[in-house]
Amino acid sequence: MSRVSRLVLGTARWALAARPDRALLSATVAAALDAGIDRFDTARAYSPPGRPGEGERLLAEALGPHARAGRARVATKGGHWRRPDGSFAVDARPATLRSHVEASLRVLDTERLDRYFLHWPDPAVPLAESIGALADLRTAGLIAEVGVCNVGVAQLEAACAAGPVAAVQNRLAYLGVDDPVRERCAVLGLEYEAYSSLGGPDGPGRLEELTRREPRVAALAARLGATGAQLALAWLLAQGAEVVPVLGAGREGSVRASAAAATLTLVADDLALLDEVRPRPAPDTA
Ligand SMILES: NC(=O)c1ccc[n+]([C@@H]2O[C@H](COP(=O)([O-])OP(=O)(O)OC[C@H]3O[C@@H](n4cnc5c(N)ncnc54)[C@H](OP(=O)(O)O)[C@@H]3O)[C@@H](O)[C@H]2O)c1
């Protein structure tokens, strides 16, 4: 798999907006496909208040004929949704997960979901029960691959014991967010999807500031013709073949910049420099 096709376009922000700009979403999705990014991420919870599945609907609309032509792989998530008051709820009981999967199949207009994540472990339901339910739906042919989000190492081990898990989606970023689950995924042969990997909406600005402040990083950026965000993305991809960044983007330019970043090669000295100046992870994320 090329490094560009290891990128996923995350669509949460479009879906959470009160009035998403559909034309801009279509243009961003088209730019992603054009740049070689053919993986997309959504969730039942990515919706305006009280309209579960709206984000999946928007993405399906933007993908349109590309999805029907099999040009796009879509991952979605369930067991989590947005209430009418705007708050988020978790319910990962087997019956709920089945109804969420069935709703996603309808909205995405497909017979099988490419990848389905348990969005959050439900403290009221044993993880083995939730994963067992998704494994049954996979056996029934409704899901191609099962994944888990927002898990620690022990939860990942429990999930893997309960069914065939293909991937994890957790938070990991150059800007001070580490995650021991990434190394565990490498050992277990699972994909590790890294979300908020540029540090969220204000991350790219902080990355540019860090690049300007540190002359050796500025020199590296100039040598490679890269921005701070692109260096952070190249650093992330260099952490291991299991890493698949999930990038939120509201503009075509961001998508194309990310695809270009995936073609950058950082040598050992470059990585050592970036590690040296990297903001230290907060103790609870290390
Ligand atoms: N599983 C979970 O619980 C979970 C939780 C959170 C997020 N996610 C997933 O992860 C996705 C991304 O997360 P995120 O939106 O928090 O954060 P992100 O990817 O860290 O950051 C998005 C920001 O980075 C900018 N950007 C993207 N590519 C860029 C580039 N190459 N150069 C410069 N700026 C760039 C975007 O700017 P523009 O808007 O200007 O393009 C946007 O402001 C979500 O859409 C969702 O799919 C999953």
Side-chain angles (χ1 to χ4, degrees):
M1 195 194 296
S2 81
R3 290 174 108 213
V4 174
S5 56
R6 268 169 66 196
L7 302 181
V8 179
L9 180 65
T11 58
R13 219 149 24 99
W14 300 98
L16 295 168
R19 273 191 215 87
D21 183 336
R22 288 179 147 78
L24 191 54
L25 173 58
S26 289
T28 307
V29 163
L33 288 166
D34 184 55
I37 300 171
D38 58 2
R39 298 175 58 171
F40 299 86
D41 183 72
T42 181
R44 181 167 177 78
Y46 299 165
S47 76
R51 284 159 58 196
E54 185 62 18
E56 292 171 320
R57 204 173 339 271
L58 279 173
L59 179 59
E61 185 185 295
L63 283 170
H66 302 296
R68 283 191 290 280
R71 285 191 63 205
R73 284 182 59 197
V74 176
T76 189
K77 320 181 187 79
H80 183 49
W81 74 94
R82 203 163 180 204
R83 299 187 185 99
D85 67 3
S87 63
F88 289 90
V90 172
D91 178 352
R93 288 175 293 177
T96 307
L97 289 172
R98 171 173 271 280
S99 77
H100 286 184
V101 164
E102 287 168 351
S104 293
L105 286 165
R106 277 193 301 276
V107 174
L108 291 168
D109 191 20
T110 183
E111 288 175 1
R112 194 166 68 144
L113 301 168
D114 297 326
R115 180 171 282 182
Y116 196 83
F117 285 101
L118 176 67
H119 205 152
W120 284 92
D122 181 343
V125 180
L127 192 54
E129 259 181 47
S130 304
I131 296 300
L134 294 180
D136 289 347
L137 293 165
R138 179 180 166 275
T139 304
L142 305 187
I143 296 172
E145 291 178 339
V146 172
V148 282
C149 298
N150 302 302
V151 288
V153 172
Q155 288 171 314
L156 175 60
E157 306 280 0
C160 289
V165 172
V168 170
Q169 190 179 111
N170 268 11
R171 190 158 166 250
L172 173 69
Y174 178 74
L175 284 172
V177 183
D178 274 349
D179 182 12
V181 171
R182 179 190 67 72
E183 286 97 322
R184 199 66 203 128
C185 283
V187 172
L188 294 170
L190 309 184
E191 260 194 9
Y192 179 92
E193 295 193 9
Y195 75 73
S196 296
S197 48
L198 289 176
D202 67 339
R206 288 166 57 208
L207 288 161
E208 293 325 311
E209 192 189 307
L210 189 149
T211 305
R212 272 197 305 276
R213 208 174 51 225
E214 174 52 66
R216 291 173 300 162
V217 180
L220 173 63
R223 174 163 60 80
L224 296 175
T227 63
Q230 286 176 312
L231 289 182
L233 193 46
W235 174 89
L236 192 70
L237 284 161
Q239 299 309 298
E242 70 285 356
V243 177
V244 175
V246 187
L247 298 154
R251 299 173 299 119
E252 288 181 51
S254 301
V255 167
R256 294 196 189 277
S258 297
T263 66
L264 293 176
T265 301
L266 298 175
V267 298
D269 283 354
D270 302 335
L271 286 167
L273 168 63
L274 291 173
D275 281 328
E276 184 192 322
V277 303
R278 182 182 177 215
R280 297 184 72 77
D284 64 338
T285 64

